[in-house]
Amino acid sequence: MSIADRSRLAGIAVIAFALICSASARAQDLIADLSSHRVDITTGFTGADLLLFGSVDDTGDIVVTVTGPKENITVRRKDRVAGIWMNTKSIQFTGAPNFYAVASSRPLEEIAPPEVLARQEIGADQLRLKVANGQDSRAREEVAEFRKALIRRKRAQGLYAQTPGDVTVIASKLFRTQVHFPATLATGIYTAVVYLIRDGRVVHAQTTPLVVEKVGIGAEVYTFAHTRSATYGLAAIIIAVVAGWLAAAVFRKV
């Protein structure tokens, strides 16, 4: 499907959504939905794009955040020791989102003050990343340095994205934005939150769930490897031995 076709379908989806929900919109100031509530990771998965769209019956700015499952992440720092680069220090952050994306109708600093953004964790720099137990005695400056390194690494991997101005508002009523999920996406439950912010305050919010999961042969292999690890390891060894024997036989004939 071409980009033009996808754009036309997206436009049709927004209009259809507005028509279907027009009666409800009078009672609710904010209604939002996703083009799909599921992302299937297959063997050839190269990423996915989902459309988030909705209608608003009030004035203000639209901010969208999508947060992935939590994980513990260890950030290490390398220093040169006796002429060799080595890991010298590390900090583990607990409960950090594997994926985080934020899109807004305007730059965030123009929409709300820092304390409001921090309270709602809007923006990667506002995420509350906790240090693992036993490491909370580190100096604040040192923790901040490692925190910035984590966010830089996630952004380089395409897992933390911030796109101000990417939310399109039509006639002050309809809005839409496209959320990109990279190929390195983790499985789990994701949460999309749409905020309506006016005069620097959050006046409405709506949460929508999203499921990311492996399907097909890749999912079966993944499940088998985690539920029957001993059998999987034995099978992998046998396959490697057979493959090596066949390769040796072929080269002997050549």
mmCIF file of all heavy atoms in Angstrom, residues 21-63:
data_model
loop_
_atom_site.group_PDB
_atom_site.id
_atom_site.type_symbol
_atom_site.label_atom_id
_atom_site.label_comp_id
_atom_site.label_asym_id
_atom_site.label_seq_id
_atom_site.Cartn_x
_atom_site.Cartn_y
_atom_site.Cartn_z
ATOM 1 N N CYS A 21 -18.920 8.748 16.837
ATOM 2 C CA CYS A 21 -18.889 9.201 18.235
ATOM 3 C C CYS A 21 -19.453 10.600 18.435
ATOM 4 O O CYS A 21 -19.272 11.187 19.489
ATOM 5 C CB CYS A 21 -17.451 9.163 18.759
ATOM 6 S SG CYS A 21 -16.749 7.514 18.734
ATOM 7 N N SER A 22 -20.117 11.154 17.439
ATOM 8 C CA SER A 22 -20.568 12.546 17.535
ATOM 9 C C SER A 22 -21.538 12.747 18.694
ATOM 10 O O SER A 22 -21.519 13.760 19.378
ATOM 11 C CB SER A 22 -21.231 12.969 16.218
ATOM 12 O OG SER A 22 -22.326 12.110 15.924
ATOM 13 N N ALA A 23 -22.404 11.739 18.942
ATOM 14 C CA ALA A 23 -23.353 11.861 20.040
ATOM 15 C C ALA A 23 -22.643 11.811 21.381
ATOM 16 O O ALA A 23 -22.944 12.565 22.294
ATOM 17 C CB ALA A 23 -24.393 10.749 19.954
ATOM 18 N N SER A 24 -21.665 10.917 21.495
ATOM 19 C CA SER A 24 -20.928 10.793 22.752
ATOM 20 C C SER A 24 -20.054 12.001 23.006
ATOM 21 O O SER A 24 -19.783 12.363 24.146
ATOM 22 C CB SER A 24 -20.063 9.527 22.740
ATOM 23 O OG SER A 24 -20.869 8.387 22.569
ATOM 24 N N ALA A 25 -19.564 12.613 21.951
ATOM 25 C CA ALA A 25 -18.648 13.747 22.092
ATOM 26 C C ALA A 25 -19.295 14.904 22.829
ATOM 27 O O ALA A 25 -18.616 15.707 23.454
ATOM 28 C CB ALA A 25 -18.161 14.198 20.716
ATOM 29 N N ARG A 26 -20.664 14.987 22.743
ATOM 30 C CA ARG A 26 -21.344 16.079 23.447
ATOM 31 C C ARG A 26 -21.264 15.877 24.954
ATOM 32 O O ARG A 26 -21.292 16.823 25.717
ATOM 33 C CB ARG A 26 -22.810 16.140 22.991
ATOM 34 C CG ARG A 26 -22.965 16.461 21.515
ATOM 35 C CD ARG A 26 -24.427 16.714 21.161
ATOM 36 N NE ARG A 26 -24.590 16.897 19.732
ATOM 37 C CZ ARG A 26 -24.885 15.942 18.876
ATOM 38 N NH1 ARG A 26 -25.037 14.706 19.314
ATOM 39 N NH2 ARG A 26 -25.027 16.179 17.593
ATOM 40 N N ALA A 27 -21.175 14.595 25.366
ATOM 41 C CA ALA A 27 -21.107 14.311 26.797
ATOM 42 C C ALA A 27 -19.662 14.198 27.280
ATOM 43 O O ALA A 27 -19.394 14.359 28.458
ATOM 44 C CB ALA A 27 -21.862 13.026 27.110
ATOM 45 N N GLN A 28 -18.746 13.882 26.380
ATOM 46 C CA GLN A 28 -17.353 13.735 26.748
ATOM 47 C C GLN A 28 -16.526 14.752 25.977
ATOM 48 O O GLN A 28 -16.671 14.891 24.765
ATOM 49 C CB GLN A 28 -16.860 12.326 26.436
ATOM 50 C CG GLN A 28 -17.642 11.233 27.161
ATOM 51 C CD GLN A 28 -17.090 9.855 26.868
ATOM 52 O OE1 GLN A 28 -15.880 9.637 26.923
ATOM 53 N NE2 GLN A 28 -17.965 8.924 26.549
ATOM 54 N N ASP A 29 -15.645 15.451 26.686
ATOM 55 C CA ASP A 29 -14.849 16.480 26.041
ATOM 56 C C ASP A 29 -13.684 15.907 25.245
ATOM 57 O O ASP A 29 -13.126 16.587 24.398
ATOM 58 C CB ASP A 29 -14.319 17.459 27.095
ATOM 59 C CG ASP A 29 -15.450 18.239 27.745
ATOM 60 O OD1 ASP A 29 -16.297 18.768 26.998
ATOM 61 O OD2 ASP A 29 -15.495 18.304 28.976
ATOM 62 N N LEU A 30 -13.310 14.652 25.529
ATOM 63 C CA LEU A 30 -12.171 14.048 24.843
ATOM 64 C C LEU A 30 -12.449 12.575 24.566
ATOM 65 O O LEU A 30 -12.780 11.816 25.481
ATOM 66 C CB LEU A 30 -10.907 14.182 25.704
ATOM 67 C CG LEU A 30 -9.640 13.506 25.185
ATOM 68 C CD1 LEU A 30 -9.182 14.134 23.875
ATOM 69 C CD2 LEU A 30 -8.527 13.566 26.226
ATOM 70 N N ILE A 31 -12.330 12.182 23.283
ATOM 71 C CA ILE A 31 -12.495 10.787 22.881
ATOM 72 C C ILE A 31 -11.336 10.446 21.955
ATOM 73 O O ILE A 31 -11.028 11.201 21.027
ATOM 74 C CB ILE A 31 -13.828 10.546 22.142
ATOM 75 C CG1 ILE A 31 -15.011 10.943 23.025
ATOM 76 C CG2 ILE A 31 -13.954 9.083 21.739
ATOM 77 C CD1 ILE A 31 -16.343 10.816 22.339
ATOM 78 N N ALA A 32 -10.678 9.312 22.204
ATOM 79 C CA ALA A 32 -9.530 8.920 21.380
ATOM 80 C C ALA A 32 -9.510 7.407 21.207
ATOM 81 O O ALA A 32 -10.062 6.663 22.021
ATOM 82 C CB ALA A 32 -8.223 9.394 22.012
ATOM 83 N N ASP A 33 -8.865 6.968 20.144
ATOM 84 C CA ASP A 33 -8.754 5.533 19.889
ATOM 85 C C ASP A 33 -7.550 5.284 18.988
ATOM 86 O O ASP A 33 -6.999 6.215 18.383
ATOM 87 C CB ASP A 33 -10.021 4.994 19.222
ATOM 88 C CG ASP A 33 -10.164 3.486 19.409
ATOM 89 O OD1 ASP A 33 -9.303 2.885 20.079
ATOM 90 O OD2 ASP A 33 -11.129 2.919 18.878
ATOM 91 N N LEU A 34 -7.155 4.008 18.891
ATOM 92 C CA LEU A 34 -6.058 3.586 18.030
ATOM 93 C C LEU A 34 -6.604 2.848 16.815
ATOM 94 O O LEU A 34 -7.658 2.204 16.894
ATOM 95 C CB LEU A 34 -5.106 2.657 18.794
ATOM 96 C CG LEU A 34 -4.217 3.298 19.861
ATOM 97 C CD1 LEU A 34 -3.686 2.222 20.799
ATOM 98 C CD2 LEU A 34 -3.073 4.059 19.227
ATOM 99 N N SER A 35 -5.882 2.926 15.700
ATOM 100 C CA SER A 35 -6.300 2.194 14.505
ATOM 101 C C SER A 35 -6.243 0.694 14.732
ATOM 102 O O SER A 35 -6.926 -0.078 14.066
ATOM 103 C CB SER A 35 -5.427 2.577 13.309
ATOM 104 O OG SER A 35 -4.055 2.340 13.600
ATOM 105 N N SER A 36 -5.427 0.252 15.692
ATOM 106 C CA SER A 36 -5.348 -1.150 16.092
ATOM 107 C C SER A 36 -4.868 -1.206 17.530
ATOM 108 O O SER A 36 -4.035 -0.398 17.934
ATOM 109 C CB SER A 36 -4.397 -1.936 15.178
ATOM 110 O OG SER A 36 -4.233 -3.262 15.645
ATOM 111 N N HIS A 37 -5.419 -2.148 18.287
ATOM 112 C CA HIS A 37 -4.998 -2.303 19.682
ATOM 113 C C HIS A 37 -4.032 -3.470 19.841
ATOM 114 O O HIS A 37 -3.839 -3.968 20.955
ATOM 115 C CB HIS A 37 -6.225 -2.512 20.575
ATOM 116 C CG HIS A 37 -7.062 -1.290 20.726
ATOM 117 N ND1 HIS A 37 -6.901 -0.397 21.761
ATOM 118 C CD2 HIS A 37 -8.055 -0.783 19.948
ATOM 119 C CE1 HIS A 37 -7.771 0.590 21.625
ATOM 120 N NE2 HIS A 37 -8.482 0.380 20.538
ATOM 121 N N ARG A 38 -3.418 -3.866 18.735
ATOM 122 C CA ARG A 38 -2.521 -5.007 18.774
ATOM 123 C C ARG A 38 -1.425 -4.846 17.727
ATOM 124 O O ARG A 38 -1.695 -4.435 16.597
ATOM 125 C CB ARG A 38 -3.316 -6.289 18.507
ATOM 126 C CG ARG A 38 -2.512 -7.569 18.561
ATOM 127 C CD ARG A 38 -3.384 -8.747 18.137
ATOM 128 N NE ARG A 38 -2.633 -9.979 18.121
ATOM 129 C CZ ARG A 38 -2.563 -10.817 19.126
ATOM 130 N NH1 ARG A 38 -3.207 -10.553 20.249
ATOM 131 N NH2 ARG A 38 -1.864 -11.934 19.038
ATOM 132 N N VAL A 39 -0.193 -5.169 18.110
ATOM 133 C CA VAL A 39 0.935 -5.220 17.182
ATOM 134 C C VAL A 39 1.496 -6.630 17.236
ATOM 135 O O VAL A 39 1.901 -7.104 18.301
ATOM 136 C CB VAL A 39 2.028 -4.194 17.561
ATOM 137 C CG1 VAL A 39 3.252 -4.369 16.663
ATOM 138 C CG2 VAL A 39 1.500 -2.776 17.435
ATOM 139 N N ASP A 40 1.480 -7.309 16.099
ATOM 140 C CA ASP A 40 1.983 -8.681 16.017
ATOM 141 C C ASP A 40 3.424 -8.672 15.522
ATOM 142 O O ASP A 40 3.717 -8.130 14.453
ATOM 143 C CB ASP A 40 1.120 -9.513 15.069
ATOM 144 C CG ASP A 40 -0.282 -9.734 15.614
ATOM 145 O OD1 ASP A 40 -0.444 -9.705 16.853
ATOM 146 O OD2 ASP A 40 -1.223 -9.910 14.812
ATOM 147 N N ILE A 41 4.294 -9.283 16.294
ATOM 148 C CA ILE A 41 5.700 -9.389 15.914
ATOM 149 C C ILE A 41 5.911 -10.750 15.263
ATOM 150 O O ILE A 41 5.839 -11.788 15.926
ATOM 151 C CB ILE A 41 6.630 -9.220 17.124
ATOM 152 C CG1 ILE A 41 6.430 -7.841 17.756
ATOM 153 C CG2 ILE A 41 8.085 -9.413 16.721
ATOM 154 C CD1 ILE A 41 7.307 -7.574 18.956
ATOM 155 N N THR A 42 6.132 -10.748 13.965
ATOM 156 C CA THR A 42 6.369 -11.972 13.218
ATOM 157 C C THR A 42 7.871 -12.134 12.979
ATOM 158 O O THR A 42 8.679 -11.294 13.393
ATOM 159 C CB THR A 42 5.624 -11.934 11.874
ATOM 160 O OG1 THR A 42 6.093 -10.801 11.122
ATOM 161 C CG2 THR A 42 4.127 -11.788 12.085
ATOM 162 N N THR A 43 8.228 -13.207 12.277
ATOM 163 C CA THR A 43 9.644 -13.473 12.013
ATOM 164 C C THR A 43 10.292 -12.343 11.228
ATOM 165 O O THR A 43 11.436 -11.971 11.483
ATOM 166 C CB THR A 43 9.793 -14.793 11.239
ATOM 167 O OG1 THR A 43 9.142 -15.832 11.970
ATOM 168 C CG2 THR A 43 11.264 -15.151 11.057
ATOM 169 N N GLY A 44 9.563 -11.775 10.278
ATOM 170 C CA GLY A 44 10.119 -10.694 9.455
ATOM 171 C C GLY A 44 9.678 -9.313 9.889
ATOM 172 O O GLY A 44 9.614 -8.392 9.063
ATOM 173 N N PHE A 45 9.379 -9.136 11.163
ATOM 174 C CA PHE A 45 8.892 -7.849 11.664
ATOM 175 C C PHE A 45 9.948 -6.763 11.507
ATOM 176 O O PHE A 45 11.082 -6.911 11.955
ATOM 177 C CB PHE A 45 8.506 -7.989 13.138
ATOM 178 C CG PHE A 45 7.932 -6.746 13.753
ATOM 179 C CD1 PHE A 45 6.659 -6.314 13.443
ATOM 180 C CD2 PHE A 45 8.687 -6.007 14.655
ATOM 181 C CE1 PHE A 45 6.135 -5.173 14.031
ATOM 182 C CE2 PHE A 45 8.182 -4.866 15.243
ATOM 183 C CZ PHE A 45 6.899 -4.451 14.927
ATOM 184 N N THR A 46 9.581 -5.668 10.860
ATOM 185 C CA THR A 46 10.507 -4.551 10.635
ATOM 186 C C THR A 46 10.027 -3.253 11.272
ATOM 187 O O THR A 46 10.566 -2.186 11.006
ATOM 188 C CB THR A 46 10.713 -4.318 9.133
ATOM 189 O OG1 THR A 46 9.437 -4.051 8.514
ATOM 190 C CG2 THR A 46 11.357 -5.527 8.464
ATOM 191 N N GLY A 47 9.010 -3.348 12.110
ATOM 192 C CA GLY A 47 8.451 -2.142 12.715
ATOM 193 C C GLY A 47 6.992 -1.968 12.324
ATOM 194 O O GLY A 47 6.486 -2.661 11.434
ATOM 195 N N ALA A 48 6.323 -1.057 12.990
ATOM 196 C CA ALA A 48 4.909 -0.824 12.700
ATOM 197 C C ALA A 48 4.560 0.626 12.985
ATOM 198 O O ALA A 48 5.206 1.301 13.790
ATOM 199 C CB ALA A 48 4.034 -1.754 13.533
ATOM 200 N N ASP A 49 3.533 1.110 12.291
ATOM 201 C CA ASP A 49 3.015 2.449 12.501
ATOM 202 C C ASP A 49 1.523 2.348 12.810
ATOM 203 O O ASP A 49 0.776 1.722 12.053
ATOM 204 C CB ASP A 49 3.223 3.335 11.267
ATOM 205 C CG ASP A 49 4.687 3.616 11.015
ATOM 206 O OD1 ASP A 49 5.291 4.348 11.813
ATOM 207 O OD2 ASP A 49 5.223 3.106 10.017
ATOM 208 N N LEU A 50 1.099 2.946 13.911
ATOM 209 C CA LEU A 50 -0.310 2.953 14.280
ATOM 210 C C LEU A 50 -0.826 4.387 14.301
ATOM 211 O O LEU A 50 -0.099 5.316 14.664
ATOM 212 C CB LEU A 50 -0.525 2.318 15.657
ATOM 213 C CG LEU A 50 -0.251 0.821 15.798
ATOM 214 C CD1 LEU A 50 -0.656 0.351 17.179
ATOM 215 C CD2 LEU A 50 -0.971 0.024 14.737
ATOM 216 N N LEU A 51 -2.077 4.523 13.912
ATOM 217 C CA LEU A 51 -2.714 5.832 13.922
ATOM 218 C C LEU A 51 -3.496 6.005 15.210
ATOM 219 O O LEU A 51 -4.291 5.142 15.588
ATOM 220 C CB LEU A 51 -3.664 5.963 12.723
ATOM 221 C CG LEU A 51 -4.455 7.270 12.636
ATOM 222 C CD1 LEU A 51 -3.539 8.430 12.285
ATOM 223 C CD2 LEU A 51 -5.586 7.152 11.632
ATOM 224 N N LEU A 52 -3.245 7.099 15.920
ATOM 225 C CA LEU A 52 -4.040 7.471 17.079
ATOM 226 C C LEU A 52 -4.858 8.692 16.687
ATOM 227 O O LEU A 52 -4.301 9.683 16.208
ATOM 228 C CB LEU A 52 -3.152 7.771 18.287
ATOM 229 C CG LEU A 52 -3.890 7.965 19.616
ATOM 230 C CD1 LEU A 52 -3.018 7.500 20.785
ATOM 231 C CD2 LEU A 52 -4.315 9.408 19.841
ATOM 232 N N PHE A 53 -6.155 8.621 16.880
ATOM 233 C CA PHE A 53 -7.022 9.704 16.423
ATOM 234 C C PHE A 53 -8.155 9.915 17.415
ATOM 235 O O PHE A 53 -8.407 9.066 18.283
ATOM 236 C CB PHE A 53 -7.583 9.394 15.037
ATOM 237 C CG PHE A 53 -8.301 8.068 14.962
ATOM 238 C CD1 PHE A 53 -9.673 7.980 15.155
ATOM 239 C CD2 PHE A 53 -7.591 6.907 14.705
ATOM 240 C CE1 PHE A 53 -10.322 6.767 15.097
ATOM 241 C CE2 PHE A 53 -8.236 5.681 14.636
ATOM 242 C CZ PHE A 53 -9.615 5.604 14.834
ATOM 243 N N GLY A 54 -8.831 11.018 17.292
ATOM 244 C CA GLY A 54 -9.938 11.281 18.197
ATOM 245 C C GLY A 54 -10.579 12.625 17.947
ATOM 246 O O GLY A 54 -10.299 13.303 16.947
ATOM 247 N N SER A 55 -11.462 13.000 18.861
ATOM 248 C CA SER A 55 -12.149 14.281 18.764
ATOM 249 C C SER A 55 -12.137 14.958 20.128
ATOM 250 O O SER A 55 -12.080 14.295 21.170
ATOM 251 C CB SER A 55 -13.596 14.086 18.292
ATOM 252 O OG SER A 55 -14.330 13.345 19.252
ATOM 253 N N VAL A 56 -12.193 16.241 20.116
ATOM 254 C CA VAL A 56 -12.171 17.030 21.342
ATOM 255 C C VAL A 56 -13.246 18.095 21.253
ATOM 256 O O VAL A 56 -13.457 18.698 20.198
ATOM 257 C CB VAL A 56 -10.767 17.660 21.561
ATOM 258 C CG1 VAL A 56 -10.383 18.574 20.413
ATOM 259 C CG2 VAL A 56 -10.697 18.388 22.880
ATOM 260 N N ASP A 57 -13.968 18.285 22.348
ATOM 261 C CA ASP A 57 -15.066 19.263 22.366
ATOM 262 C C ASP A 57 -14.727 20.407 23.313
ATOM 263 O O ASP A 57 -15.580 20.915 24.026
ATOM 264 C CB ASP A 57 -16.365 18.574 22.786
ATOM 265 C CG ASP A 57 -17.585 19.409 22.438
ATOM 266 O OD1 ASP A 57 -17.510 20.167 21.456
ATOM 267 O OD2 ASP A 57 -18.598 19.319 23.157
ATOM 268 N N ASP A 58 -13.445 20.756 23.311
ATOM 269 C CA ASP A 58 -12.981 21.831 24.190
ATOM 270 C C ASP A 58 -11.709 22.410 23.594
ATOM 271 O O ASP A 58 -11.068 21.786 22.756
ATOM 272 C CB ASP A 58 -12.718 21.291 25.597
ATOM 273 C CG ASP A 58 -12.831 22.365 26.664
ATOM 274 O OD1 ASP A 58 -12.853 23.555 26.291
ATOM 275 O OD2 ASP A 58 -12.890 22.016 27.854
ATOM 276 N N THR A 59 -11.329 23.586 24.013
ATOM 277 C CA THR A 59 -10.120 24.206 23.497
ATOM 278 C C THR A 59 -8.903 23.751 24.306
ATOM 279 O O THR A 59 -9.017 23.379 25.475
ATOM 280 C CB THR A 59 -10.226 25.742 23.579
ATOM 281 O OG1 THR A 59 -10.456 26.123 24.945
ATOM 282 C CG2 THR A 59 -11.371 26.235 22.714
ATOM 283 N N GLY A 60 -7.744 23.767 23.668
ATOM 284 C CA GLY A 60 -6.517 23.387 24.352
ATOM 285 C C GLY A 60 -5.559 22.668 23.429
ATOM 286 O O GLY A 60 -5.804 22.517 22.226
ATOM 287 N N ASP A 61 -4.445 22.214 23.989
ATOM 288 C CA ASP A 61 -3.432 21.484 23.229
ATOM 289 C C ASP A 61 -3.561 19.990 23.505
ATOM 290 O O ASP A 61 -3.951 19.571 24.601
ATOM 291 C CB ASP A 61 -2.032 21.950 23.633
ATOM 292 C CG ASP A 61 -1.731 23.360 23.130
ATOM 293 O OD1 ASP A 61 -1.515 23.506 21.912
ATOM 294 O OD2 ASP A 61 -1.721 24.288 23.957
ATOM 295 N N ILE A 62 -3.194 19.199 22.496
ATOM 296 C CA ILE A 62 -3.239 17.744 22.601
ATOM 297 C C ILE A 62 -1.825 17.202 22.769
ATOM 298 O O ILE A 62 -0.927 17.547 22.000
ATOM 299 C CB ILE A 62 -3.897 17.112 21.361
ATOM 300 C CG1 ILE A 62 -5.330 17.615 21.203
ATOM 301 C CG2 ILE A 62 -3.867 15.596 21.456
ATOM 302 C CD1 ILE A 62 -6.259 17.202 22.323
ATOM 303 N N VAL A 63 -1.641 16.346 23.759
ATOM 304 C CA VAL A 63 -0.370 15.662 23.988
ATOM 305 C C VAL A 63 -0.650 14.161 24.087
ATOM 306 O O VAL A 63 -1.585 13.749 24.788
ATOM 307 C CB VAL A 63 0.330 16.147 25.270
ATOM 308 C CG1 VAL A 63 1.607 15.343 25.510
ATOM 309 C CG2 VAL A 63 0.654 17.629 25.180
#
